[in-house]
Amino acid sequence: QVQLVESGGGSVQAGGSLRLSCAASGYTVNTYWWRFCMGWFRQAPGQELEGLGVIRTDNIYATYSDSVRGLITISTDRVKKTLYLQIDGLHPEDTAVYYCEAKDGGACNPRATFTRWGQGTQVTVSS
């Protein structure tokens, strides 16, 4: 099985920063972590799901969506099996539920189809 638990969300003033975490566990992830593609997505109220960026567990470089490149930093701890999302310069429009999602093999980019296993973490940005 796969279990993803997002954390680190909360309320922050515009211009502030947050660091979100996604702890992965379960037999499938524990056994095949080396071949996974992990990604961060978000869904604002009344909006479609938006891919932010992805990273392969065997690659130190992340791939970001053009719309958010430079605003976020995605990294992973291969030992802890944890995915991170650093968000800087937050704006009120960044208010959304942020999800960590996984993809077992295949293409690894923000437009690929991922599987959501967690419940997300709420980020609320005020003016």
Side-chain angles (χ1 to χ4, degrees):
Q1 74 280 18
V2 176
Q3 296 180 21
L4 302 177
V5 180
E6 300 95 336
S7 63
S11 298
V12 64
Q13 295 289 326
S17 300
L18 284 175
R19 183 176 177 84
L20 309 183
S21 299
C22 171
S25 62
Y27 175 80
T28 303
V29 171
N30 292 339
T31 303
Y32 303 106
W33 176 253
W34 56 271
R35 73 185 191 190
F36 270 77
C37 172
M38 306 295 295
W40 281 103
F41 301 78
R42 69 183 179 187
Q43 188 163 28
Q47 303 296 317
E48 297 293 325
L49 186 69
E50 177 187 14
L52 303 178
V54 301
I55 187 170
R56 291 186 181 274
T57 55
D58 62 351
N59 197 317
I60 64 174
Y61 300 106
T63 299
Y64 303 100
S65 296
D66 292 339
S67 62
V68 297
R69 185 174 297 175
L71 303 177
I72 62 173
T73 302
I74 295 175
S75 61
T76 183
D77 187 321
R78 302 176 186 180
V79 176
K80 297 181 179 179
K81 295 181 176 62
T82 300
L83 185 71
Y84 302 98
L85 174 64
Q86 177 72 34
I87 315 174
D88 299 312
L90 286 161
H91 294 82
E93 55 264 36
D94 292 319
T95 295
V97 178
Y98 286 71
Y99 297 96
C100 171
E101 301 185 3
K103 186 174 186 294
D104 188 355
C108 190
N109 61 74
R111 298 182 180 180
T113 301
F114 288 74
T115 300
R116 183 184 301 174
W117 297 96
Q119 297 183 347
T121 183
Q122 176 72 47
V123 172
T124 302
V125 184
S126 60
S127 300

